[in-house]
Amino acid sequence: MLVECLINVNVIGYIYEWLNCNGIVGILFIGEAAMIYKGKIMTDPAIMLGKPIIKGTRITVEHVLRKLSEGMTVEELLEVYPHLTKEDILAALSYSADVIELEELIAT
């Protein structure tokens, strides 16, 4: 069970980073597009080795992206995983876009 309390919050421009009592780190981007995954994507070191997952499942964001990249449609994903919603899938995409946006590429 996750304890809801904050240990540390950093504010960097429009980005809020936090660390809660269970050591779970989160990043929240303030803006319309980013808010789509608030409350839908989570990490927990005890679930799927801490990879980002769809809240309430053991389905990783990576798995959703992999299936979509293999050509599976959103409708097919919803059939295979009936407990997912279209909003969950969109949240996974939004979360991934924000993670990639923060990547720093080093020229080789």
Side-chain angles (χ1 to χ4, degrees):
M1 174 177 244
L2 297 176
V3 176
E4 292 295 327
C5 73
L6 296 177
I7 293 175
N8 187 31
V9 177
N10 295 320
V11 180
I12 307 165
Y14 292 102
I15 302 170
Y16 286 73
E17 298 178 319
W18 69 89
L19 175 66
N20 75 11
C21 295
N22 295 312
I24 298 170
V25 175
I27 299 175
L28 173 64
F29 301 84
I30 304 304
E32 276 184 44
M35 296 301 279
I36 190 170
Y37 62 81
K38 182 181 180 190
K40 294 217 172 261
I41 305 297
M42 66 168 286
T43 60
D44 182 338
I47 303 173
M48 303 304 287
L49 301 173
K51 290 183 176 185
I53 60 168
I54 307 294
K55 188 174 183 177
T57 75
R58 295 180 65 80
I59 299 173
T60 62
V61 169
E62 174 189 359
H63 184 70
V64 170
L65 295 176
R66 179 98 40 223
K67 291 300 178 187
L68 291 171
S69 73
E70 291 171 354
M72 187 175 264
T73 66
V74 171
E75 292 76 22
E76 290 170 332
L77 265 174
L78 295 174
E79 285 179 28
V80 174
Y81 303 103
H83 51 287
L84 288 184
T85 65
K86 182 178 179 183
E87 290 75 23
D88 292 333
I89 295 168
L90 293 176
L93 292 171
S94 179
Y95 174 84
S96 300
D98 285 343
V99 168
I100 290 169
E101 180 182 19
L102 289 178
E103 280 187 333
E104 183 177 328
L105 299 177
I106 300 172
T108 56

